[in-house]
C-alpha cells in the first residue's frame, strides 16, 4: 500500500505541475553581513573579533543587534567571573549589525550590513570602526569601553 | 478496425480496474471538534478555506478526491496532516503554543511547503493567496492582548551565578532519544550567525565546528560535508529597561550533526535538543526528531539548514 502511494506521488511529481519553491530556500551565504575592509583595522588591532568566541549578544533600541566576542583570555574570564575585571591585555570585540527580516523565517531578525566594530583591550585601548570598508573613527570612549567590559557572559552549560 | 477494438478493450479494462479500486474505501474518521483554534474571524476564515481539509476534523473532500486511487493518497495525507497540526483540537493548548503553530504555518506557506506541492498540483485553487498571507502575517505581527510575562530576572541571575561558579566543569548529559550525543564543546565553536526571534521571545547564536567553517570559507554550503556540526543556542529575551534586549536565562541548545550514512534515514543529519541548564534531552522518545525534520523540510534545497552563514569567522 505504502509503495503504491509512493509510486503515485512520484508520478504526480514527475508530471511537472508542482509549483517551484521560492528562491530564498536555496543555499545562500549572508554576504552583506560580513565585515569588509578587514585589513584596514585588522592591521592595527591585529585581531578579528569574529575569529574569537561568543561572550554574549543583545539587541539595541532602533533596530541593530550586537554580538560581543572575546579572545581566549577574555572568554575564559567572562565564563567564570561576573565582575568584568578582565586580565590586562584580554581582547573583546563588539560587532553591531543593522537588522533585516529573516527571509526564511517570519518571526526572526538577522544581521544585515555591519554598522560598527569596536575593539576593547582590557587595561588599555578602545577603538571604533564604521562604514564599508570599515575605517577607524578617532576618539577614545572610556564609558563605552566600560559598558562593553561589564556585559555578562551568556550562560552556555 | 483492430485499432478501434484495442482502444475499446483498453477502455473497458481501465473502467473495470477503476471500478474494482473503489471497492477498497477505508473510512476517514471525523472525530468531534473539541477545541478549535482561537483566532479572529478573518484569520479563521483563511484557515478554514485553505488548511482545514487536512488539518482539522472537519475534512470536506471534493467528489474527485473520493475516487480511488486519489482517495487513498488524500486519506493518508489528511491523517498525517491532523497528526502534525489539528486546528479542531489545538485550542486546548496554551495561547503561546497556538501562536507558535501559526508562525510555523505562515513560514511553511511562504517557503512553498504548504499546501503540499503535490496537493496543489491537483487542487489548483487550494493555495493561500498573497492577500491572505498578508492577513495572517498582520495578525501575528500584532502583539497579543496580554503580552507574555517578562522572563523572571531573578531566575536568570541564579542560573548565571551557578554557571560561573561551576567554572567550566562539564555536567553529565544524556544523549538524545535517537542516540545523538551531546557535544559540550559547542560553546567553543566559531560564530556563524545570530537571530532575534520576536515570534517566541528568544535570542539565538548559531555556532559551527571547524568542518562547517571550512565549508563556509569555500562557499560549499549546498551539501554540507560529513562531520559538519551546527549548534544553535537560545536564551530568553530580557528587556534592559532602556528599549534594548539582553540575553536572559539559557533555554536550550540544539545540534545538527551531518553524517550522510549514519543518519541517512533522517535527511543525513542527527538531530538533538537539550533543554534547561540541566540539559535534559527533549522529547519522550525518538519520534521527537520528526518535529525537527518536518520544520526543516522547507529548506531541503539548502541541505535542511535554515541559517544563512556569515563568512569571515576563521
Amino acid at each position: 500500500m505504502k509503495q503504491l502511494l509512493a509510486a503515485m506521488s512520484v508520478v504526480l511529481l514527475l508530471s511537472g505541475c508542482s509549483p517551484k519553491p521560492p528562491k530564498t530556500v536555496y543555499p545562500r551565504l549572508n554576504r552583506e553581513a560580513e565585515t569588509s575592509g578587514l585589513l584596514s583595522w585588522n592591521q592595527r588591532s591585529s585581531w578579528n573579533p569574529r575569529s574569537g568566541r561568543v561572550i554574549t549578544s543583545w539587541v539595541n533600541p532602533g533596530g541593530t543587534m550586537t554580538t560581543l566576542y572575546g579572545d581566549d583570555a577574555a572568554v575564559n574570564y567572562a565564563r567564570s567571573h561576573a565582575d568584568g575585571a578582565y586580565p590586562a591585555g584580554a581582547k573583546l570585540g563588539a560587532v553591531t549589525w543593522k537588522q533585516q527580516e529573516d527571509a526564511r523565517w517570519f518571526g526572526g531578525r538577522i544581521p544585515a550590513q555591519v554598522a560598527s566594530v569596536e575593539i576593547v583591550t582590557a587595561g588599555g585601548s578602545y577603538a571604533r570602526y564604521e562604514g564599508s570598508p570599515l575605517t577607524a573613527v578617532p576618539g577614545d570612549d572610556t564609558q563605552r569601553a566600560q559598558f562593553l567590559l561589564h556585559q555578562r557572559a551568556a550562560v552556555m552549560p | 478496425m483492430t485499432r478501434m477494438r484495442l482502444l475499446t478493450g483498453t477502455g473497458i479494462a481501465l473502467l473495470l480496474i477503476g471500478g474494482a479500486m473503489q471497492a477498497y474505501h477505508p473510512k476517514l474518521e471525523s472525530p468531534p471538534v473539541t477545541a478549535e483554534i482561537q483566532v479572529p474571524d478573518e484569520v479563521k476564515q483563511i484557515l478554514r478555506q485553505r488548511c482545514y481539509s487536512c488539518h482539522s476534523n472537519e475534512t470536506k473532500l471534493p467528489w474527485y478526491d473520493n475516487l480511488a486511487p486519489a482517495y487513498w493518497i488524500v486519506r493518508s495525507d489528511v491523517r498525517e496532516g491532523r497528526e502534525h497540526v489539528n486546528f479542531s483540537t489545538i485550542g486546548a493548548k496554551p495561547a503561546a503554543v497556538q501562536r507558535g503553530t501559526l508562525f510555523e504555518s505562515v513560514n511553511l506557506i511562504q517557503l512553498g511547503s504548504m499546501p503540499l506541492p503535490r496537493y496543489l498540483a491537483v487542487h489548483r485553487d487550494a493555495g493561500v493567496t498573497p492577500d491572505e498571507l498578508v492577513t495572517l502575517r498582520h495578525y501575528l505581527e500584532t502583539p497579543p492582548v496580554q503580552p507574555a510575562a517578562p522572563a523572571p530576572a531573578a531566575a536568570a541571575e541564579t542560573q548565571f551565578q551557578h554557571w560561573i561558579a561551576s567554572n567550566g566543569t562539564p555536567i553529565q548529559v544524556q544523549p538524545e532519544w535517537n542516540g545523538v550525543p551531546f557535544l559540550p564543546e559547542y560553546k567553543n565553536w566559531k560564530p556563524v550567525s545570530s537571530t532575534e526571534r520576536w515570534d517566541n521571545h528568544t535570542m539565538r547564536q548559531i555556532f559551527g565546528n571547524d568542518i562547517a567553517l571550512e565549508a563556509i570559507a569555500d562557499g560549499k554550503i549546498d551539501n554540507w560535508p560529513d562531520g559538519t556540526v551546527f549548534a544553535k543556542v537560545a536564551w530568553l529575551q530580557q528587556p534592559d529597561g532602556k528599549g534594548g534586549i539582553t540575553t536572559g536565562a539559557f533555554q536550550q541548545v540544539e545540534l545538527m550533526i551531518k553524517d550522510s550514512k549514519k543518519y541517512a534515514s533522517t535527511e543525513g543529519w542527527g538531530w538533538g535538543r537539550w533543554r534547561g541548564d540541566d540539559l535534559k534531552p527533549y522529547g519522550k522518545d525518538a519520534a521527537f526528531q520528526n518535529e525537527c525534520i518536518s520544520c526543516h523540510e522547507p529548506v531541503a534545497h539548502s541541505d535542511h539548514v535554515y541559517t544563512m552563514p556569515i563568512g569571515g569567522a576563521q
Side-chain angles (χ1 to χ4, degrees):
Chain A
M1 187 63 197
K2 274 219 153 157
Q3 280 152 334
L4 185 62
L5 285 182
M8 287 192 302
S9 315
V10 168
V11 169
L12 281 177
L13 279 176
L14 289 180
S15 64
C17 40
S18 298
K20 266 198 148 182
K23 265 195 203 137
T24 176
V25 302
Y26 290 95
R28 205 179 98 197
L29 289 169
N30 187 354
R31 290 251 180 238
E32 72 180 309
E34 288 179 16
T35 44
S36 66
L38 207 72
L39 274 182
S40 60
W41 52 269
N42 203 20
Q43 279 166 349
R44 279 217 272 161
S45 72
S46 41
W47 185 61
N48 168 12
R50 292 199 69 246
S51 72
R53 288 179 280 156
V54 170
I55 295 176
T56 187
S57 51
W58 60 87
V59 179
N60 308 288
T64 60
M65 60 203 294
T66 303
T67 298
L68 182 68
Y69 308 87
D71 65 1
D72 284 346
V75 169
N76 294 340
Y77 189 84
R79 291 181 179 177
S80 50
H81 299 79
D83 57 10
Y86 288 94
K91 278 191 193 323
L92 287 83
V95 179
T96 299
W97 286 273
K98 291 173 185 160
Q99 288 186 306
Q100 60 178 325
E101 186 183 325
D102 187 346
R104 289 181 178 169
W105 194 266
F106 172 66
R109 294 191 190 101
I110 58 169
Q113 299 91 352
V114 175
S116 69
V117 174
E118 296 159 284
I119 310 280
V120 186
T121 308
S125 60
Y126 166 86
R128 183 183 175 87
Y129 307 84
E130 287 177 8
S132 182
L134 287 163
T135 42
V137 179
D140 198 10
D141 190 335
T142 325
Q143 226 183 334
R144 179 67 181 171
Q146 286 304 312
F147 172 81
L148 294 176
L149 289 168
H150 284 89
Q151 294 304 310
R152 285 182 169 186
V155 173
M156 288 186 245
Chain B
M1 199 57 203
T2 41
R3 200 167 159 202
M4 193 68 189
R5 213 182 269 169
L6 192 67
L7 276 178
T8 319
T10 314
I12 291 172
L14 281 177
L15 272 177
L16 283 175
I17 294 171
M21 278 178 167
Q22 307 314 316
Y24 181 64
H25 203 271
K27 196 168 185 273
L28 180 57
E29 308 77 12
S30 290
V33 178
T34 51
E36 202 176 10
I37 187 156
Q38 295 149 26
V39 286
D41 284 347
E42 72 270 21
V43 173
K44 194 180 275 184
Q45 195 60 34
I46 297 167
L47 300 179
R48 277 192 165 277
Q49 197 178 346
R50 305 300 182 193
C51 317
Y52 271 38
S53 279
C54 299
H55 293 288
S56 82
N57 292 342
E58 299 180 74
T59 302
K60 289 193 187 87
L61 299 182
W63 66 269
Y64 49 88
D65 279 345
N66 274 305
L67 295 179
Y71 176 75
W72 302 341
I73 302 179
V74 170
R75 177 175 175 270
S76 148
D77 281 349
V78 170
R79 288 160 64 113
E80 200 185 325
R82 286 175 181 170
E83 226 167 87
H84 281 286
V85 173
N86 189 335
F87 290 116
S88 297
T89 57
I90 198 174
K93 296 188 178 171
V97 174
Q98 297 183 45
R99 249 179 113 75
T101 301
L102 285 180
F103 268 101
E104 191 176 332
S105 305
V106 164
N107 279 300
L108 294 179
I109 294 164
Q110 286 192 153
L111 296 177
S113 291
M114 277 291 151
L116 289 178
R118 62 183 152 87
Y119 182 82
L120 264 190
V122 182
H123 307 80
R124 289 304 176 98
D125 304 325
V128 176
T129 67
D131 282 351
E132 289 168 344
L133 192 56
V134 167
T135 304
L136 295 177
R137 286 172 57 115
H138 180 74
Y139 167 64
L140 291 171
E141 277 164 348
T142 318
V145 184
Q146 280 181 317
E157 174 70 22
T158 312
Q159 191 193 55
F160 174 77
Q161 295 298 346
H162 183 248
W163 177 62
I164 55 167
S166 74
N167 201 8
T169 314
I171 52 174
Q172 281 293 323
V173 181
Q174 295 299 312
E176 257 295 5
W177 293 96
N178 54 5
V180 169
F182 176 70
L183 304 174
E185 63 268 35
Y186 79 89
K187 56 181 88 64
N188 294 325
W189 293 339
K190 296 292 172 64
V192 169
S193 191
S194 54
T195 318
E196 176 202 353
R197 284 282 296 271
W198 56 269
D199 56 342
N200 58 18
H201 313 289
T202 59
M203 305 271 291
R204 292 165 182 231
Q205 284 283 338
I206 300 96
F207 303 140
N209 70 351
D210 286 347
I211 297 173
L213 270 281
E214 214 169 287
I216 293 168
D218 296 342
K220 291 179 180 151
I221 60 166
D222 52 336
N223 185 11
W224 295 89
D226 281 356
T228 296
V229 190
F230 290 108
K232 185 180 259 184
V233 196
W235 299 270
L236 297 176
Q237 295 187 355
Q238 197 166 299
D240 67 359
K242 288 174 257 173
I245 299 164
T246 60
T247 55
F250 168 86
Q251 186 196 37
Q252 63 183 27
V253 56
E254 297 167 308
L255 295 180
M256 280 176 77
I257 303 176
K258 179 78 186 266
D259 189 327
S260 51
K261 289 193 192 75
K262 190 173 175 186
Y263 300 127
S265 65
T266 50
E267 311 291 357
W269 294 92
W271 309 82
R273 173 189 275 166
W274 290 265
R275 280 213 161 145
D277 51 359
D278 57 348
L279 298 169
K280 193 168 172 269
Y282 176 79
K284 292 192 283 285
D285 53 43
F288 85 89
Q289 61 190 356
N290 297 338
E291 271 179 54
C292 315
I293 296 163
S294 65
C295 190
H296 281 253
E297 196 281 329
V299 285
H301 291 285
S302 289
D303 200 4
H304 298 86
V305 174
Y306 268 103
T307 304
M308 289 177 274
I310 305 170
Q314 282 82 6

